[in-house]
Amino acid sequence: MPVADYATYCRMLDNARANKFAYPAINITSSSTINAALAAFSEAKSDGILQVSTGGGEFASGQGVKDMAFGAIALAEFIHRVAERHPHYVAIHTDHCPADKVDKFLRPLLAETRRRRAAGLPNLFSSHMFDGSELPLAENMKVARALLQECAELDVILEVEAGVVGGEEDGVNNEGAPAEKLYTTPEDMVAVARALREVKGGRYMFAATFGNVHGVYKPGNVKLKPTILRDGQAAVAREFGEAGRFDLVFHGGSGSELSEIHETLEYGVVKMNIDTDTQYAYTRPIADHMFKNYDGVLKVDGEVGNKKHYDPRSYLKAAEKLMQARVKQACVDLRSTGTTLFKR
């Protein structure tokens, strides 16, 4: 059962919280990026999370289809098949679904889960993210609460967000967001806990924002305030007891100092999204291949090029290798190396 079922996924998150590490959550868009991430988790002896965004799902469905839910389902089905050959658990997650895409992304995926369960089949997805951060908090939590109720009935974990992650990713552009929106307040964290904690059987993760920014930044350029997580968790514990503390998610971590990443692990971060860095790691060898083999890739001056150089496998293998190395480094940075719960 390398794709984690609900009970196994809960054990994974509990293990991360108890031992103060986090799982790399790798955005994938193709069979090639899936294979790179799975190979890295195998080498690191780490469980992990693979996630697909609305844009990733649309891309995977094909340019002639452009159906984000359909593409996400296809990727998840591929993961279920190939993960059987790897000695670790992997959870399958969907990333950042804003409110205006719930009806064409999240709800069709929940409907597919309901259909599969009625047929006696396992869930395709382990968790989903609803990103209602653009909504007023009360409205955000109203939608999140309804989705959490539905997820609870289907043994699916829900991730929610309050506060805005700056920058731009996958068509969600918060580059002009006011600075104060980049920091979730303790009061907001208490309000999230109050809204969701009474959903019977519902388990959720919370992406609080503490200066996070999507995109590419040099170390030191992102002004994180990890103590926001500490203070928010303390406020929630005062209100609801220690059991009320969140399983936290770290978004927009590119350019973060390693010391800041480690500090967030102390405050309950159990999942960190990795996308920008793996995109670059995947693309870098392809660019290198094209520059070094320009004449072989292109038909120059009436010649026919070199098939060994323009065969996509020649450069995609190199792309997978560097992405694999970057995911393996993420396991080291997040202290998940050697923590797999999987035993044959």
Side-chain angles (χ1 to χ4, degrees), residues 198-232:
E198 294 180 0
V199 175
K200 186 176 181 181
R203 181 154 186 171
Y204 63 94
M205 297 178 281
F206 177 42
T209 57
F210 50 103
N212 326 50
V213 179
H214 288 137
V216 181
Y217 298 89
K218 292 181 179 180
N221 283 5
V222 177
K223 305 303 180 185
L224 294 180
K225 296 181 181 178
T227 52
I228 284 177
L229 303 181
R230 179 198 65 193
D231 296 345

Side-chain angles (χ1 to χ4, degrees), residues 2 21 37 40 52 103 122 127 130 149 168-169 189 220 227 239 255 258 266 288 292 303-305 320 323 343:
F21 69 88
V52 56
D103 287 342
S127 54
F130 165 61
Q149 182 64 58
E168 189 277 334
E169 183 173 54
M189 292 178 74
T227 52
E239 189 77 16
L258 189 58
E266 297 294 320
D288 186 58
K292 287 181 177 178
E303 299 297 327
V304 294
E320 285 186 25
M323 179 175 167
K343 294 179 177 60

Side-chain angles (χ1 to χ4, degrees), residues 93-110:
H93 179 72
T94 57
D95 194 21
H96 284 288
C97 179
D100 62 355
K101 293 182 180 176
V102 167
D103 287 342
K104 58 182 179 180
F105 189 61
L106 268 190
R107 295 204 184 281
L109 297 181
L110 291 171

Side-chain angles (χ1 to χ4, degrees), residues 5 28 51 63 81 89-90 96 122 144 147 150 176 228 324 338:
D5 62 11
I28 49 87
Q51 55 189 28
Q63 298 304 295
R81 179 56 63 92
Y89 290 116
V90 63
H96 284 288
L147 288 170
E150 193 168 358
I228 284 177
Q324 180 179 333

Side-chain angles (χ1 to χ4, degrees), residues 120-316:
L121 298 171
N123 288 5
L124 269 183
F125 295 93
S126 313
S127 54
H128 296 296
M129 180 186 182
F130 165 61
D131 181 357
S133 59
E134 292 184 348
L135 303 174
L137 185 59
E139 187 178 349
N140 179 355
M141 289 300 102
K142 181 180 179 181
V143 178
R145 187 180 176 93
L147 288 170
L148 182 59
Q149 182 64 58
E150 193 168 358
C151 286
E153 294 167 359
L154 298 172
D155 290 336
V156 172
I157 293 173
L158 183 69
E159 179 183 334
V160 300
E161 181 175 317
V164 173
V165 177
E168 189 277 334
E169 183 173 54
D170 230 332
V172 178
N173 192 326
N174 293 319
E175 292 176 314
E180 65 271 15
K181 291 290 187 180
L182 302 179
Y183 303 96
T184 305
T185 66
E187 293 76 17
D188 286 347
M189 292 178 74
V190 169
V192 170
R194 180 176 290 112
L196 300 181
R197 67 191 305 271
E198 294 180 0
V199 175
K200 186 176 181 181
R203 181 154 186 171
Y204 63 94
M205 297 178 281
F206 177 42
T209 57
F210 50 103
N212 326 50
V213 179
H214 288 137
V216 181
Y217 298 89
K218 292 181 179 180
N221 283 5
V222 177
K223 305 303 180 185
L224 294 180
K225 296 181 181 178
T227 52
I228 284 177
L229 303 181
R230 179 198 65 193
D231 296 345
Q233 290 276 50
V236 169
R238 286 194 298 270
E239 189 77 16
F240 304 113
E242 289 296 317
R245 288 178 179 267
F246 294 112
D247 291 328
L248 292 173
V249 181
F250 187 163
H251 287 250
S254 295
S256 302
E257 300 283 357
L258 189 58
S259 60
E260 293 174 324
I261 293 173
H262 287 169
E263 185 178 355
T264 70
L265 304 181
E266 297 294 320
Y267 305 146
V269 166
V270 296
K271 171 180 179 278
M272 181 174 176
N273 287 15
I274 313 287
D275 187 22
T276 300
D277 291 351
T278 50
Q279 285 179 341
Y280 176 76
Y282 190 85
T283 301
R284 179 66 180 80
I286 297 175
D288 186 58
H289 177 94
M290 298 305 171
F291 281 121
K292 287 181 177 178
N293 300 289
Y294 181 85
D295 289 348
V297 172
L298 299 179
K299 296 182 178 180
V300 181
D301 295 332
E303 299 297 327
V304 294
N306 185 330
K307 189 176 187 304
K308 290 182 179 179
H309 292 161
Y310 59 75
D311 181 341
R313 291 170 294 185
S314 65
Y315 49 84
L316 292 183

